[in-house]
Amino acid sequence: MGLRCGMRSTKCQLLVTSLCVMLLGLSIATLSTVTHYGLHFTLISDISLEDNSYRVIHHTAFYLGICLSMTLILAALLSSAATVRESQCLTAMGFFCFALAFCGLLPAACWRYTHSSEVEDSMMDVYDRVYEEVRRNPSSFRRHDLTAIHEAFLCCGKHSPFGDTAIIEQKTCPPGQVWDAGQGIKMGNSWSRIMMPSSSSIKHASFLLFTVF
């Protein structure tokens, strides 16, 4: 009797943990989608520069997030099925999915800590190039891109060592905005840090499943 209750308790723990992992996968997919299609990020990514490094980071982060979320959801489903049916085959497949998730998570975490400012720097590089092109040629088609950036990030120009920027800011800045563009982009880029807690959550959820199994 006690053994049977213990088995039921273990199964309930596994099912609850699998549900948490599935919700985690869904949250990562949602955050990846919101980040990918958010105005602040698509605006910088869609600017047609020959070497727009942010575009590469933008798309890579989205596809990595989607693949990771789908792997976690599949692992949760397999773990749930393995718990209900007590199948060793399904359990092995669930472990394999978690191994794939770890293989994708570890390089992403290492890149995040070794290139902590690369996303912000790439966004600022795109803005600087657009700004300087408009400064040199106020009638440039980039003027529309610059105005859109100022409106999206609620910022207004920057301190340029190459000359007076009052004319540019008057034509491209929304009324009443006094923030430097660097501050605006830093605040907009803070949305990308929403993804960071998910890495820790994945580690804890995966460790819990491995421990219980």
Side-chain angles (χ1 to χ4, degrees):
M1 184 69 179
L3 180 62
R4 183 176 299 178
C5 292
M7 290 293 294
R8 288 181 179 178
S9 176
T10 302
K11 285 186 176 182
C12 290
Q13 292 177 10
L14 287 171
L15 290 174
V16 171
T17 305
S18 299
L19 177 61
C20 292
V21 174
M22 185 180 299
L23 293 175
L24 179 62
L26 290 173
S27 66
I28 293 176
T30 302
L31 288 171
S32 298
T33 304
V34 170
T35 302
H36 183 72
Y37 293 103
L39 175 62
H40 296 81
F41 304 100
T42 56
L43 186 61
I44 300 293
S45 177
D46 291 343
I47 292 178
S48 56
L49 295 175
E50 293 182 359
D51 55 345
N52 188 343
S53 59
Y54 177 74
R55 183 183 295 117
V56 178
I57 299 174
H58 184 73
H59 291 297
T60 302
F62 172 70
Y63 292 120
L64 179 61
I66 293 299
C67 290
L68 183 60
S69 65
M70 294 299 103
T71 303
L72 287 172
I73 292 173
L74 180 59
L77 291 174
L78 290 173
S79 299
S80 299
T83 301
V84 174
R85 298 186 180 184
E86 299 182 359
S87 170
Q88 294 183 351
C89 180
L90 292 176
T91 302
M93 293 173 65
F95 278 132
F96 178 72
C97 289
F98 275 108
L100 290 179
F102 274 116
C103 289
L105 174 63
L106 291 179
C110 291
W111 185 91
R112 174 63 182 84
Y113 286 110
T114 56
H115 301 77
S116 58
S117 62
E118 187 166 332
V119 175
E120 182 181 314
D121 291 342
S122 62
M123 294 176 76
M124 283 302 303
D125 182 60
V126 172
Y127 175 80
D128 289 340
R129 294 181 62 179
V130 172
Y131 189 92
E132 292 305 322
E133 185 171 334
V134 175
R135 186 189 63 81
R136 290 193 301 266
N137 181 15
S139 61
S140 171
F141 71 97
R142 297 289 184 196
R143 178 178 166 183
H144 173 73
D145 293 334
L146 184 61
T147 302
I149 292 174
H150 286 165
E151 292 177 350
F153 287 92
L154 300 178
C155 59
C156 183
K158 67 172 188 174
H159 300 289
S160 175
F162 300 107
D164 186 22
T165 61
I167 298 177
I168 302 175
E169 295 175 1
Q170 184 179 3
K171 295 181 178 179
T172 61
C173 293
Q177 295 301 330
V178 295
W179 278 0
D180 180 274
Q183 294 176 314
I185 289 179
K186 284 180 182 178
M187 293 191 67
N189 186 47
S190 64
W191 279 92
S192 64
R193 299 182 182 180
I194 295 177
M195 294 297 292
M196 288 307 297
S198 63
S199 300
S200 176
S201 302
I202 293 169
K203 292 177 183 178
H204 291 307
S206 302
F207 176 76
L208 181 59
L209 272 180
F210 275 94
T211 302
V212 176
F213 271 117

